[in-house]
Amino acid sequence: MHTDDHDHGLAHDLQTLHAARLKRRRALVWLAGAGAAGALPLLGCGGSGDDVETTTTTATTTTGSTTTTTTGGTTTTSCSVIPTETNGPYPADGTTSLNALALSGIVRSDIRSSFGTSTTTATGVPLTVTLTLVNTNASCASLAGYAIYIWHCNQAGLYSLYSSGVTNENYLRGVQATDSNGQVTFTTIFPACYSGRWPHIHFEVYPSLATATSVSHVVKTSQIAMPEATCDTVFATSGYSASVTNFAQTSLATDNVFSDGATLETPTITGSVSAGYALALTVGIAA
């Protein structure tokens, strides 16, 4: 826990840290641009063979990772496969001896409370997470009947089942099957920023609920990058004080997961601290 050395208060700290972070990020962007200028023609998006593309466009609108293109009255759709990322050190997916997927009660929409021997509820700014699963090999058709497992840290940056003090908790973990629109919606809290990582949410995609029992059946593992402006707002509220300093010391450009690009992993988000936030992301996989 950070201890203030003066009486200016949290607002002053936030303003100072935010200014420092912006200055640092401008320098990172300048350096990245100077070093990569000659390599720009080599850069790509989505990976070879994973994109469904359209050409000859007259009007284009983009939502999340899905682009709708209209040409002479005909509408086609292209989308990209979301990058594969590490499941991290705290997945509880059977990678190690810990496997939350095997617990009775893990299939649920509200993941704020533990289940089983504990009923502790994780506190924090309310957040609704809606993921839409689509098939990049079928013009972004919705994928119904798949299962999505999500997990993330709590307001203090701790992971249930792993971190000291919360090893007896299993909150902020849950699984759901995608509906006819390819969607799942979870009720949770806004995750903290802990040292060394950009604020994020982990998720894994499985072919069905029946196969969502261990990582051996996973078809996609990725992460959601929390939007910067919302992070600044949330971390200024009570309970997220440790995130202020941690967030000031990181950036997407230096994050060990998102530094190669986070466009397809950054969701749209609406709402407020008082009313809660709603996050939405389209997840493309080559099914």
Side-chain angles (χ1 to χ4, degrees):
M1 180 66 68
H2 175 71
T3 302
D4 291 332
D5 296 323
H6 50 74
D7 296 324
H8 291 149
L10 179 59
H12 177 274
D13 289 348
L14 286 171
Q15 183 177 15
T16 302
L17 289 170
H18 185 60
R21 186 168 72 250
L22 288 176
K23 182 177 180 181
R24 178 170 175 270
R25 289 179 183 169
R26 291 192 185 102
L28 285 169
V29 170
W30 184 88
L31 289 172
L40 286 176
L42 302 178
L43 298 179
C45 180
S48 176
D50 286 338
D51 295 345
V52 179
E53 299 180 356
T54 58
T55 58
T56 315
T57 65
T58 56
T60 302
T61 57
T62 302
T63 303
S65 61
T66 303
T67 301
T68 301
T69 303
T70 303
T71 305
T74 301
T75 299
T76 57
T77 305
S78 69
C79 54
S80 300
V81 172
I82 196 166
T84 295
E85 307 291 8
T86 176
N87 61 359
Y90 314 118
D93 60 2
T95 301
T96 63
S97 59
L98 291 175
N99 189 359
L101 294 171
L103 299 176
S104 175
I106 191 65
V107 179
R108 60 199 185 133
S109 60
D110 191 332
I111 65 173
R112 291 174 294 182
S113 298
S114 289
F115 55 92
T117 58
S118 174
T119 57
T120 302
T121 299
T123 59
V125 173
L127 175 69
T128 298
V129 176
T130 299
L131 302 179
T132 302
L133 191 65
V134 299
N135 185 0
T136 61
N137 285 339
S139 301
C140 304
S142 299
L143 289 171
Y146 279 67
I148 298 181
Y149 168 43
I150 78 167
W151 71 96
H152 61 83
C153 69
N154 66 12
Q155 194 180 35
L158 306 177
Y159 282 87
S160 65
L161 298 173
Y162 290 89
S163 302
S164 177
V166 293
T167 55
N168 293 325
E169 307 295 345
N170 50 35
Y171 53 49
L172 307 182
R173 300 178 183 274
V175 181
Q176 282 193 83
T178 56
D179 63 16
S180 60
N181 295 315
Q183 292 186 333
V184 293
T185 299
F186 293 93
T187 301
T188 185
I189 63 164
F190 202 94
C193 179
Y194 53 87
S195 180
R197 279 302 317 275
W198 186 267
H200 60 281
I201 295 174
H202 295 265
F203 69 91
E204 291 175 340
V205 179
Y206 291 84
S208 66
L209 275 180
T211 59
T213 56
S214 79
V215 70
S216 61
H217 303 295
V218 74
V219 296
K220 174 62 69 173
T221 302
S222 195
Q223 298 182 26
I224 303 170
M226 305 306 290
E228 180 177 0
T230 310
C231 289
D232 279 326
T233 301
V234 171
F235 296 157
T237 65
S238 175
Y240 288 95
S241 58
S243 294
V244 176
T245 300
N246 293 333
F247 194 50
Q249 295 173 345
T250 190
S251 71
L252 285 170
T254 60
D255 185 77
N256 62 7
V257 170
F258 300 126
S259 59
D260 58 350
T263 301
L264 297 177
E265 297 161 295
T266 302
T268 59
I269 193 164
T270 58
S272 64
V273 168
S274 58
Y277 288 92
L279 170 161
L281 181 70
T282 298
V283 177
I285 66 171

